[in-house]
Amino acid sequence: MTTAQDKHPQPLVGIGSCLAGNEVRYDGQSKAANIHVQRMRECFDTRPFCPEMAIGLGVPRPPIQVAGEPDDLRVVDVATRQQDVTQPLKDFAQQVLNNNPTMAGYILVKGSPSCGFDRVKRFNKEGRLVARDSQGVFAATLATIDPLLPLEDDGRLNDPGLRESFVTRVFTYHQWRELCAEGLDAGKLVSFYSRHKYLVMAHDVPSYRKIGKMLANAGKEDIEELGQAFITELMTALTKRTSRRSHANVLFHIAGYLRKKIAPPERQRLSDLIEQYRLSAVPLIVPITLLKHHFANHPNAYIDQQAFLSPFPDQLQIRNVT
């Protein structure tokens, strides 16, 4: 029998060192990780990094801030505004990715001028706050080097939809990296998508259709180019928020495979439960659990492999609230 650990091997995920409990912030403190980050650390192989420490700023240290215009952002010290650490932070981002080629995601630090995902404070040359419209330079460089790498900060991970998307992308990207390490061919590519079709459908139906057409002639295309186009479309689709309506659509599709397997009262009960989910009466875990129960009694090889039914460990409790 396949265990949860077998089905969900731990992906390598970077994390802000302060969120990992290390006292590396400018004031010598750590930052308390919220419950969602704590659960993720149990399911991910997290590797802590502090860019500011890594470039030699030390602890404690004068704080730094993002300054300048949107098209020419710099990271400078608050006290003198003379110490520019922009390039060292960019260089360290490159170093992190070079040294961790299997990294499947990164948990950033809300508001940080180095590690903030978004809405980072931006100051003018005189040190006055002008906007909260920036991204930390280290974080921005990670995104530039690997646009598909899942990134979120600890603050945004409080949002159930963003949390679901992030964790789904982390496990999917991890599986993709493993597949590529084995050696990609047309058959493996089609098989990978076959397992993720309903997951993509739940996030973005147009991408679901586009990828299907993309792979129609997989054996005749250059596999490297096709693979890159495929994973770009798939990972982009998974950034889209799911909804109760989109999940219900997939649930009804999957339930269709039980049409001739279960009795009419059971079919009606399942249909009613999916509708209750769509109307926000129950969380997603409820119809998912019933579907798994029925497929345990009536196995279907195609459905059993679907990532949608178990895209991440249940202990993350993501589907208990969505």
Side-chain angles (χ1 to χ4, degrees), residues 257-263 266-267 298-300:
Y257 287 84
L258 293 166
R259 188 176 298 112
K260 297 180 180 180
K261 300 293 184 180
I262 59 178
E266 292 177 311
R267 290 202 303 271
H298 306 282
N300 180 294

Side-chain angles (χ1 to χ4, degrees), residues 64-141:
I64 56 177
Q65 61 185 205
V66 176
E69 298 302 317
D71 60 349
D72 185 28
L73 295 177
R74 315 301 297 174
V75 181
V76 298
D77 71 294
V78 173
T80 69
R81 312 190 66 74
Q82 298 301 310
Q83 185 180 14
D84 187 329
V85 295
T86 309
Q87 193 58 49
L89 288 172
K90 290 182 177 181
D91 292 343
F92 183 64
Q94 181 72 69
Q95 179 183 330
V96 166
L97 293 182
N98 287 348
N99 293 344
N100 300 275
T102 62
M103 186 173 286
Y106 202 109
I107 301 173
L108 299 160
V109 183
K110 179 182 178 181
S112 166
S114 58
C115 300
F117 181 83
D118 68 355
R119 295 181 57 79
V120 173
K121 293 179 181 179
R122 177 169 60 87
F123 297 80
N124 63 16
K125 294 180 180 179
E126 290 72 41
R128 290 195 298 271
L129 176 65
V130 293
R132 289 179 171 83
D133 61 358
S134 297
Q135 191 172 27
V137 169
F138 172 81
T141 306

Side-chain angles (χ1 to χ4, degrees), residues 90-299:
K90 290 182 177 181
D91 292 343
F92 183 64
Q94 181 72 69
Q95 179 183 330
V96 166
L97 293 182
N98 287 348
N99 293 344
N100 300 275
T102 62
M103 186 173 286
Y106 202 109
I107 301 173
L108 299 160
V109 183
K110 179 182 178 181
S112 166
S114 58
C115 300
F117 181 83
D118 68 355
R119 295 181 57 79
V120 173
K121 293 179 181 179
R122 177 169 60 87
F123 297 80
N124 63 16
K125 294 180 180 179
E126 290 72 41
R128 290 195 298 271
L129 176 65
V130 293
R132 289 179 171 83
D133 61 358
S134 297
Q135 191 172 27
V137 169
F138 172 81
T141 306
L142 291 178
T144 298
I145 297 170
D146 186 355
L148 302 184
L149 184 71
L151 303 174
E152 279 297 354
D153 69 36
D154 59 312
R156 286 167 54 92
L157 287 172
N158 285 307
D159 181 296
L162 295 177
R163 190 163 66 249
E164 177 190 25
S165 171
F166 175 70
V167 173
T168 299
R169 284 181 288 134
V170 166
F171 279 98
T172 302
Y173 205 34
H174 172 68
Q175 293 159 17
W176 174 254
R177 288 192 181 282
E178 288 192 321
L179 178 65
C180 291
E182 295 172 1
L184 190 62
D185 60 38
K188 290 179 180 178
L189 182 58
V190 171
S191 178
F192 185 89
Y193 182 54
S194 179
R195 296 193 301 274
H196 291 82
K197 285 178 69 173
Y198 283 125
L199 194 60
V200 174
M201 179 188 284
H203 283 264
D204 190 50
V205 171
S207 289
Y208 165 82
R209 293 171 178 157
K210 182 177 180 179
I211 294 175
K213 294 178 181 178
M214 184 186 297
L215 299 184
N217 297 306
K220 301 177 182 178
E221 305 286 342
D222 178 88
I223 193 61
E224 296 301 326
E225 291 182 5
L226 180 60
Q228 187 58 43
F230 163 79
I231 193 59
T232 298
E233 186 67 29
L234 187 146
M235 293 297 291
T236 301
L238 296 182
T239 65
K240 309 290 180 61
R241 282 179 180 266
T242 58
S243 66
R244 285 182 176 265
R245 181 178 179 180
S246 68
H247 273 316
N249 177 47
V250 172
L251 292 169
F252 278 122
H253 271 80
I254 293 176
Y257 287 84
L258 293 166
R259 188 176 298 112
K260 297 180 180 180
K261 300 293 184 180
I262 59 178
E266 292 177 311
R267 290 202 303 271
Q268 187 61 51
R269 167 62 177 155
L270 178 57
S271 179
D272 290 346
L273 205 54
I274 295 173
E275 185 64 11
Q276 287 178 40
Y277 162 71
R278 189 183 69 81
L279 296 174
S280 302
V282 297
L284 181 57
I285 192 66
V286 175
I288 287 284
T289 299
L290 185 56
L291 276 171
K292 288 181 177 180
H293 166 75
H294 285 311
F295 282 110
N297 292 328
H298 306 282

Side-chain angles (χ1 to χ4, degrees), residues 3-14:
T3 67
Q5 184 64 30
D6 292 331
K7 200 165 188 177
H8 298 293
Q10 291 191 329
L12 174 61
V13 173

Side-chain angles (χ1 to χ4, degrees), residues 17-18 22-29 49-64 77-79 83 85 89 112-115:
S17 187
C18 57
N22 298 315
E23 297 176 340
V24 295
R25 302 193 78 189
Y26 74 94
D27 57 2
Q29 301 295 311
F49 300 95
C50 177
E52 295 171 30
M53 284 281 288
I55 64 172
L57 294 185
V59 173
R61 57 182 175 271
I64 56 177
D77 71 294
V78 173
Q83 185 180 14
V85 295
L89 288 172
S112 166
S114 58
C115 300

